[in-house]
Amino acid sequence: MKVRLKIWRQKNSKSKGAFATYDFDGVSPEMSFLEMLDALNTKLVQEGREPVAFDHDCREGICGSCGMYINGYPHSPVPGITTCHLSMRYFNDGDTITVEPWRAKTFPVIKDLMVDRSAFDKIQVAGGFISVNTGAAPDSNSIPCRKKHADEAFDSASCIGCGACVAACKNASAMLFLSAKISQLALLPQGRIEAKERVREMVSVMDELGFGNCSNTGACEAQCPKGIKLTNIARLNREYYKAF
Amino acid sequence: MIKLDAKIPEGPIAEKWTRYKQSVNLVNPANKKKLDIIVIGTGLAGAGAASALGELGYNVKNFCFQDSPRRAHSVAAQGGINAAKNYKNDGDSIYRLFYDMIKGGDFRAREANVYRAAEVSNDVIDHYTAQGVPFARDYGGTLDNRSFGGVQVSRTFYAKGQTGQQCLLGAYSSLNRQIKLGTVKMFPRREMLELVLIDGKARGIIARNLITGELERHSAHAVVLATGGYGTIYYLSTLAVNSNASAAWKAHRKGALFANPSFVQIHPTSVPQLNDYQAKLTLMSESLRNDGRIWVPKNKDEKRHPNDIPEEERDYFLERRYPAFGNLVPRDVASRAAKERCDAGYGVGKTGLAVNLDFRDAIKKQGKKAIESKYGNLFEMYETITGSDPYDEPMKIYPAGHYTMGGLWVDYELMTTIPGLYAIGESNFSDHGANRLGACSLMQAAGDGYFILPNTISNYLAPEIKTGKIPTDGKEFGEAEKSVTDRINKLLSISGKQTVTSFHKRLGRIMWDYCGMSRNSEGLTKALKMVNELEEEFWKDVNVPGSSDEVNQEIEKAGRVADYFELAKLMITDALHRKESCGAHFREESQTPEGEAMRNDAEFAYVAAWQFNESEKTHTLHKEMLSFVEVEMKERSYK
Amino acid sequence: MNKVLYSSISKKFVMALAGLFLLTFLPVHLAINLMLLNDDPEPFNKAAHFMSTFPFIKVVEVVLFVAIMIHVIWGILLQVQNWIARPVAYKAPNRSDTSPFSRFMIWTGGSIFIFLILHFFNFYFIKLGIVEGDPENFYSVAHNLFKIPAYNIIYWVCFILLGFHLHHAFYSAFQTLGLNHRIWTPVVKVMAAVYAIAIPIGFAYIPFVIWILK
């Protein structure tokens, strides 16, 4: 099949960038979206042109590296998956596909479809941990935890830090990302000890970095490839009020 | 001449580690601040080591090529992590875990290291739990276990099918805590391209900033490699596409011995290759073989839909060959059997490189609901990738390169043959012998990083407290940087016609065909020649576009593939020299009349550690003889 | 402490509280307005008189005014920050699924605020003596206004927009306050829909009767 690709090309963080159009033939419906881009890149290299830069690694939807904005959807028009799991089967012969990098003040474009998500790491560094030194842990079963809470904590912890929530949010807010970590640690007994300091520090850093505010639109939840729920944001809010 | 000394402590096996720790040289807390340590990689081993060393007070610099330490490929491990907690009261113990690993590794691992890995496994689980890793729990609030990988006890801790991700995020959180405290400085999007030796000791690295292209010099009193395995040498594997062996290979070229390079685990159940552009083989959990039946058609040129093929025209080859274990034979056996059928022309799918994994009978017997509750998420994932519904028609699966037991040779202290250079996790060779047991990779990586390395590294660093800061403007750093620059420039200047990836695919194909699941002297000899030719062609005709002072993913790939040619040759050399079948290494010349693997303990009960000779670009073999005091050497049989 | 007061979550908290207070005010206002349908102006005028003279209500009036201003100012503040958070817009429109109307809160809110100013000119400022009129006979003031077609159309449009605003606001306030529950949140969502339809219809019904039916 043949597709028309409108891909955002931007040399580096300082340049302006614009769409480039590629009519790309020979796309197989069995390809994943990223494999289609690989094939395009092979073609570009062979023609002596510069390949499209994009982040990717595990190609099985768990590392959180990949992510691009396809036809108005972060990651994928099909909900619940990362870009690497998006199959070309979803598209039709002759489709025009617009591909942009994720856009947010906090996610500056590095090149083409690659963005800098180090702001996420900064939020985690602010307090996304339990202060326990190696070797200082008690026996695992000495800290029992309700199964319900352990399961919920797992659901929150399955966030892959890809940034789709920020990309989807009209405000480029990182509340879903932050709330996933806050929820995970708030639900576990071992995480309660530092709960107040954690939420204060992490919210404060998130704000300083310049993420937008939460308008409870739910776009983040709709586009999250791991199904992180908005209930996490409500819990984050509760945890925040409790911290004073 | 290098003399391999594993430095195994004296005493009974259960006391070795304790005795070692009691007598090891320590560094005074005040002096730790004066010592710099570089850690490459942020997986379970790397992030674990970086945070543990940071907690101790060392100055740690941690590097990863990904944009965030949270993306290291440990994240993709599914099944679980073993520990000898015996929470199930089913007779588990450190000794039993040790025993299972030695036996599972087909008697090609070092007893003392394996015992220690089993010994610290309990501490690893406790530490992860304390970090907030949400392991599965029972209704009473205690941790749950499951049985995994065909062992007789339930010792596997798990977090749904995302154990690796959860453990990695635990490690990442501890790392973040140390970053906040200032003991660890994080350098993401950096690739180590050279190891710097000063007076024979590892003293630093040259890293390329993958955003600016700038080459950076970083010095330290010790360098720790936690860079994972080299499964992507097959191009298609279950690894992340950017996983590579370059850091380990640079260390090897600088004098670190590489052990058992040909020991690669091939996982039997992955989604097969669908087209030439495919970049990755996604693993489907091994547990599917509990209910799925593996078969191929009996007719070579079968054109019918698998559902239309009657029972009598199906060949359930695992059940036929291994009536006792059937579809549940170990990974290596299942993989080889599938390959045998496909090579004989009975493979299914467009490429003929796949076998059916059929749930028809299980659904008939147990109902769709029961199957859905067990494998629902896996079926969904399969459908997402392939567009075919496993409830309606058989899954197509094929083996894929998965884990490399081989790696840099290390002694009991996890130090390579270069003083001050350590290798931990999958990047070393020590704990899995010729075959890794399920759920032992996370365990070993975390054990190395959190509990072993931080205790052994002080032995080397204790005399280093007087060394002082190591300057990066000396001639050694200059030379190392120049060699990196020269190589990048050379790659850029070739301006040939073929892409890096096309070479990687061809290399992968050669390795897969001749140095994969099943090997023989003729094929390996041929492969060695083919790799040599391909390497030559690469250096003449590769096309690396763009420049070196910007984001250039083609340069990154080119460097990695260039290293893989050299590693491929060593893998083949190793496979060629080991004229026995053991674990994942199957030499067709060494099999029983029934076609099963035949080990040769009299001649090959050793670790093959290869030394690189810079002048002739050849390798010299060193043998570390293995003695099995605790476990009697036995044969594996699944008939 | 300033950091806390002006954190994103605190600002939202204030927004939600002010919003919820305004939500309680609307039914009261509607109840009084419905007296306009009575042919006798007396009850409405009495109620209006009571509302503007009873001391407790006077206090509430101040609170109400402050709540409106906080809701407006904080809303604009948050929105400006939100715009700054994405300085370069997507070229393709964002098609992520969202709760309906949630994307347009600043626009629906802004329209309501403009209507509110008009409303103040028509009534509140008369009472304060800023604008000429008879503060003791709001019944006839209202009836006269509702006979102007253009006014009614503006009025209806604004109440449709108010409905949109309320639909998201009602649920959103609970979420912001952290009041989320497996059973009760879906109930809140239904209540939000009912409220967002009933209140504007109630208000819009009055000019409909006065202008069309009478």
Side-chain angles (χ1 to χ4, degrees):
Chain A
M1 63 194 241
K2 189 174 172 176
V3 291
R4 169 165 288 186
L5 293 162
K6 281 181 69 186
I7 299 178
W8 188 261
R9 302 302 307 262
Q10 185 171 335
K11 183 117 186 81
N12 53 44
S13 57
K14 286 173 197 86
S15 61
K16 249 190 109 194
F19 280 112
T21 305
Y22 305 95
D23 285 312
F24 191 37
D25 212 342
V27 176
S28 151
E30 284 171 346
M31 287 176 172
S32 75
F33 196 84
L34 296 188
E35 283 159 8
M36 185 273 296
L37 287 182
D38 288 341
L40 174 73
N41 279 345
T42 300
K43 186 169 165 256
L44 291 177
V45 172
Q46 279 164 348
E47 289 169 0
R49 292 195 277 172
E50 215 183 326
V52 180
F54 61 94
D55 271 318
H56 63 103
D57 200 19
C58 79
R59 304 263 181 136
E60 55 179 297
I62 194 76
C63 74
S65 293
C66 67
M68 46 195 79
Y69 182 84
I70 300 168
N71 284 349
Y73 295 96
H75 271 315
S76 152
V78 183
I81 55 172
T82 51
T83 306
C84 62
H85 268 170
L86 173 63
S87 166
M88 291 309 289
R89 265 181 279 124
Y90 175 80
F91 300 95
N92 298 313
D93 191 35
D95 274 2
T96 298
I97 308 172
T98 312
V99 192
E100 288 178 68
W102 289 353
R103 298 190 190 275
K105 180 185 158 210
T106 44
F107 287 178
V109 174
I110 293 171
K111 184 176 183 176
D112 298 340
L113 304 173
M114 238 175 162
V115 298
D116 177 359
R117 288 168 291 194
S118 56
F120 267 12
D121 288 320
K122 291 184 185 124
I123 296 177
Q124 296 290 356
V125 165
F129 48 77
I130 292 169
S131 298
V132 56
N133 273 5
T134 309
D139 182 86
S140 301
N141 275 349
S142 67
I143 327 168
C145 171
R146 248 184 106 188
K147 179 172 169 53
K148 179 177 177 286
H149 290 159
D151 290 349
E152 275 178 35
F154 172 84
D155 289 342
S156 304
S158 60
C159 166
I160 56 172
C162 62
C165 45
V166 174
C169 177
K170 71 177 180 70
N171 308 339
S173 163
M175 286 285 276
L176 191 69
F177 168 77
L178 171 58
S179 70
K181 183 50 79 179
I182 291 290
S183 286
Q184 177 206 342
L185 298 180
L187 283 160
L188 299 170
Q190 58 270 47
R192 290 293 340 158
I193 295 152
E194 294 165 281
K196 291 186 176 186
E197 292 81 0
R198 177 180 307 120
V199 70
R200 283 204 301 254
E201 297 278 317
M202 289 180 89
V203 168
S204 156
V205 168
M206 175 182 74
D207 288 349
E208 277 165 29
L209 287 165
F211 287 98
N213 307 288
C214 178
S215 292
N216 302 322
T217 70
C220 51
E221 184 186 63
Q223 289 304 130
C224 176
K226 293 292 149 186
I228 305 290
K229 295 270 168 278
L230 278 185
T231 47
N232 288 295
I233 296 183
R235 188 179 292 106
L236 161 62
N237 290 337
R238 281 202 297 281
E239 289 292 322
Y240 190 71
Y241 306 141
K242 276 196 276 185
F244 301 101
Chain B
M1 188 64 200
I2 291 173
K3 196 173 170 314
L4 289 179
D5 177 10
K7 294 193 218 151
I8 298 166
E10 291 302 314
I13 196 146
E15 285 172 33
K16 284 183 194 291
W17 181 230
T18 312
R19 285 196 192 185
Y20 174 87
K21 285 190 286 184
Q22 282 163 358
S23 59
V24 70
N25 286 319
L26 298 176
V27 180
N28 172 309
N31 284 330
K32 287 195 179 104
K33 283 197 284 275
K34 298 179 197 158
L35 295 168
D36 301 330
I37 302 174
I38 285 174
V39 179
I40 313 291
T42 57
L44 255 53
S51 60
L53 294 168
E55 286 160 16
L56 289 170
Y58 296 107
N59 288 318
V60 182
K61 293 186 194 178
N62 197 186
F63 295 77
C64 67
F65 68 74
Q66 297 91 344
D67 70 327
S68 162
R70 67 180 295 154
R71 310 205 196 284
H73 198 56
S74 300
V75 80
Q78 299 174 353
I81 175 165
N82 283 340
K85 282 281 193 186
N86 194 26
Y87 280 164
K88 288 281 180 186
N89 194 28
D90 56 1
D92 199 11
S93 64
I94 289 166
Y95 181 85
R96 196 177 282 278
L97 174 54
F98 153 74
Y99 177 88
D100 286 345
M101 284 179 77
I102 287 287
K103 193 172 154 230
D106 218 2
F107 300 93
R108 292 295 174 265
R110 191 191 286 152
E111 275 193 342
N113 284 51
V114 177
Y115 192 91
R116 180 179 58 183
E119 200 176 341
V120 300
S121 68
N122 292 339
D123 298 332
V124 168
I125 291 300
D126 292 341
H127 189 49
Y128 278 140
T129 306
Q131 278 173 341
V133 172
F135 286 124
R137 295 206 178 236
D138 240 325
Y139 285 98
T142 54
L143 293 180
D144 192 21
N145 294 105
R146 65 180 168 199
S147 159
F148 197 81
V151 294
Q152 289 165 304
V153 292
S154 293
R155 63 161 75 100
T156 304
F157 294 80
Y158 64 100
K160 288 199 181 153
Q162 282 146 261
T163 318
Q165 182 202 21
Q166 292 310 317
C167 291
L168 181 67
L169 292 181
Y172 168 69
S173 73
S174 283
L175 181 64
N176 282 333
R177 176 169 162 246
Q178 293 308 310
I179 293 172
K180 187 177 186 184
L181 293 170
T183 60
V184 177
K185 191 161 164 34
M186 190 64 224
F187 294 87
R189 291 202 196 262
R190 303 296 202 289
E191 183 161 18
M192 169 182 156
L193 291 181
E194 192 54 286
L195 177 72
V196 181
L197 301 189
I198 299 177
D199 301 329
K201 291 175 173 177
R203 288 302 198 198
I205 61 160
I206 305 294
R208 181 166 180 267
N209 181 324
L210 300 182
I211 300 302
T212 62
E214 205 182 324
L215 295 182
E216 300 171 346
R217 302 176 180 192
H218 297 277
S219 70
H221 297 88
V223 176
V224 180
L225 298 185
T227 52
Y230 46 89
T232 48
I233 199 161
Y234 295 110
Y235 185 68
L236 287 172
S237 73
T238 65
L239 268 68
V241 296
N242 295 311
S243 298
N244 65 83
S246 286
W249 193 253
K250 302 298 180 197
H252 173 61
R253 290 190 59 128
K254 289 266 166 149
L257 267 51
F258 209 105
N260 299 335
S262 68
F263 288 173
V264 181
Q265 184 170 73
I266 311 288
H267 200 290
T269 54
S270 108
V271 180
Q273 189 176 4
L274 297 169
N275 59 62
D276 289 340
Y277 293 110
Q278 194 156 328
K280 152 94 187 181
L281 298 170
T282 303
L283 191 67
M284 299 305 292
S285 171
E286 183 154 50
S287 61
L288 291 170
R289 287 198 280 145
N290 289 329
D291 286 303
R293 294 180 72 192
I294 294 176
W295 64 277
V296 290
K298 279 186 182 165
N299 304 323
K300 267 192 186 175
D301 299 308
E302 188 57 75
K303 291 278 177 300
R304 286 172 289 178
H305 187 273
N307 287 352
D308 300 331
I309 300 175
E311 193 66 17
E312 60 276 11
E313 289 177 49
R314 297 174 173 203
D315 175 15
Y316 295 93
F317 55 91
L318 286 178
E319 296 169 25
R320 172 171 57 80
R321 282 183 67 178
Y322 308 99
F325 278 70
N327 293 298
L328 292 173
V329 289
R331 289 177 182 180
D332 52 339
V333 179
S335 297
R336 277 197 293 276
K339 176 182 157 52
E340 188 274 327
R341 282 292 84 189
C342 293
D343 288 351
Y346 295 95
V348 300
K350 222 165 63 176
T351 55
L353 288 174
V355 297
N356 291 316
L357 175 61
D358 202 340
F359 291 87
R360 186 194 62 177
D361 296 348
I363 290 172
K364 219 185 278 170
K365 215 162 133 193
Q366 306 169 32
K368 193 175 162 179
K369 262 232 166 89
I371 296 301
E372 194 179 340
S373 74
K374 282 192 224 176
Y375 311 113
N377 56 341
L378 290 167
F379 279 27
E380 226 170 84
M381 181 155 97
Y382 181 84
E383 199 182 348
T384 305
I385 298 167
T386 64
S388 126
D389 182 358
Y391 293 108
D392 293 338
E393 56 182 11
M395 275 187 182
K396 289 186 183 63
I397 52 150
Y398 199 64
H402 184 53
Y403 185 90
T404 50
M405 283 73 71
L408 291 174
W409 185 91
V410 290
D411 58 21
Y412 190 75
E413 298 184 313
L414 303 181
M415 185 148 84
T416 66
T417 45
I418 297 175
L421 178 72
Y422 293 80
I424 59 176
E426 193 180 346
S427 70
N428 74 26
F429 86 103
S430 69
D431 295 358
H432 306 298
N435 185 38
R436 179 177 63 75
L437 225 53
C440 278
S441 58
L442 297 182
M443 178 193 99
Q444 178 240 341
D448 280 3
Y450 284 116
F451 294 101
I452 300 171
L453 179 84
N455 279 299
T456 61
I457 203 167
S458 62
N459 209 27
Y460 171 79
L461 289 175
E464 293 283 343
I465 52 173
K466 293 185 210 90
T467 309
K469 202 101 194 141
I470 294 157
T472 55
D473 49 7
K475 83 172 191 326
E476 290 88 351
F477 272 94
E479 281 166 6
E481 187 180 317
K482 187 170 177 304
S483 74
V484 173
T485 314
D486 289 350
R487 191 173 194 229
I488 290 175
N489 289 341
K490 190 169 171 203
L491 285 167
L492 285 169
S493 68
I494 299 168
S495 318
K497 288 197 187 60
Q498 303 178 62
T499 61
V500 176
T501 304
S502 70
F503 279 105
H504 194 174
K505 282 180 184 171
R506 284 164 71 191
L507 173 68
R509 191 62 210 239
I510 297 170
M511 295 306 285
W512 183 247
D513 287 345
Y514 301 106
C515 196
M517 282 176 274
S518 172
R519 298 131 181 213
N520 60 54
S521 162
E522 192 194 341
L524 288 166
T525 313
K526 189 172 155 196
L528 196 57
K529 192 164 159 275
M530 288 168 84
V531 173
N532 265 316
E533 285 165 5
L534 189 64
E535 186 183 23
E536 225 168 276
E537 193 181 329
F538 173 87
W539 287 105
K540 275 187 200 136
D541 197 32
V542 73
N543 180 356
V544 184
S547 67
S548 63
D549 57 357
E550 57 174 350
V551 175
N552 188 335
Q553 293 172 321
E554 292 294 313
I555 286 189
E556 297 167 26
K557 286 193 274 183
R560 295 166 192 165
V561 172
D563 290 333
Y564 266 155
F565 286 121
E566 297 178 14
L567 173 56
K569 289 187 281 183
L570 181 59
M571 272 175 78
I572 296 169
T573 307
D574 183 50
L576 204 51
H577 113 282
R578 193 172 279 277
K579 297 189 184 73
E580 63 156 353
S581 297
C582 64
H585 171 65
F586 185 79
R587 276 291 296 264
E588 288 159 20
E589 298 92 333
S590 180
Q591 53 180 316
T592 63
E594 299 90 50
E596 302 310 324
M598 210 163 68
R599 225 172 50 217
N600 181 349
D601 293 332
E603 285 181 70
F604 292 102
Y606 61 78
V607 173
W610 299 88
Q611 183 193 1
F612 182 76
N613 308 311
E614 178 64 52
S615 50
E616 313 107 78
K617 306 270 185 264
T618 56
H619 280 91
T620 311
L621 173 66
H622 298 268
K623 296 177 183 176
E624 181 199 339
M625 300 312 291
L626 294 168
S627 59
F628 292 89
V629 182
E630 298 293 327
V631 185
E632 192 198 342
M633 285 174 123
K634 275 189 201 145
E635 209 180 300
R636 283 163 91 212
S637 171
Y638 302 98
K639 283 282 173 189
Chain C
M1 203 58 209
N2 270 353
K3 233 172 162 180
V4 174
L5 220 55
Y6 296 111
S7 79
S8 55
I9 296 180
S10 303
K11 281 201 288 272
K12 288 285 300 176
F13 180 75
V14 171
M15 265 310 264
L17 279 186
L20 277 181
F21 179 72
L22 297 178
L23 284 178
T24 59
F25 165 72
L26 278 175
V28 178
H29 195 316
L30 176 60
I32 295 169
N33 276 22
L34 284 171
M35 294 179 190
L36 283 171
L37 297 177
N38 199 326
D39 285 338
D40 178 9
E42 203 53 27
F44 177 84
N45 280 340
K46 264 192 175 162
H49 180 81
F50 172 80
M51 291 302 281
S52 56
T53 50
F54 191 67
F56 175 71
I57 302 289
K58 289 295 256 188
V59 175
V60 174
E61 190 179 88
V62 173
V63 176
L64 180 68
F65 187 74
V66 171
I68 290 172
M69 286 326 288
I70 285 179
H71 196 74
V72 170
I73 292 166
W74 258 236
I76 293 170
L77 216 69
L78 285 161
Q79 185 58 54
V80 169
Q81 281 184 327
N82 294 344
W83 280 324
I84 293 172
R86 178 166 291 129
V88 182
Y90 287 115
K91 307 300 175 241
N94 190 336
R95 292 159 72 191
S96 309
D97 194 20
T98 59
S99 102
F101 317 124
S102 65
R103 296 186 191 200
F104 317 110
M105 293 302 273
I106 188 69
W107 307 116
T108 50
S111 313
I112 296 158
F113 186 65
I114 290 166
F115 174 76
L116 214 54
I117 294 169
L118 184 70
H119 189 63
F120 278 4
F121 268 98
N122 291 333
F123 294 92
Y124 194 67
F125 291 172
I126 293 177
K127 197 183 85 185
L128 296 181
I130 302 169
V131 176
E132 216 170 296
D134 180 6
E136 288 306 313
N137 196 358
F138 278 158
Y139 183 89
S140 66
V141 175
H143 272 256
N144 289 337
L145 276 174
F146 287 146
K147 287 191 175 109
I148 307 165
Y151 182 85
N152 285 341
I153 287 164
I154 292 171
Y155 191 85
W156 283 331
V157 168
C158 282
F159 274 95
I160 291 171
L161 294 178
L162 177 69
F164 294 168
H165 197 81
L166 294 176
H167 183 267
H168 179 67
F170 197 107
Y171 148 75
S172 181
F174 283 88
Q175 167 81 4
T176 299
L177 295 178
L179 302 173
N180 196 304
H181 190 269
R182 185 170 47 90
I183 295 162
W184 294 112
T185 299
V187 174
V188 165
K189 283 188 180 171
V190 173
M191 280 165 62
V194 171
Y195 184 92
I197 294 167
I199 295 284
I201 284 186
F203 277 102
Y205 179 64
I206 298 160
F208 178 75
V209 172
I210 293 170
W211 181 37
I212 312 272
L213 298 184
K214 288 191 179 170

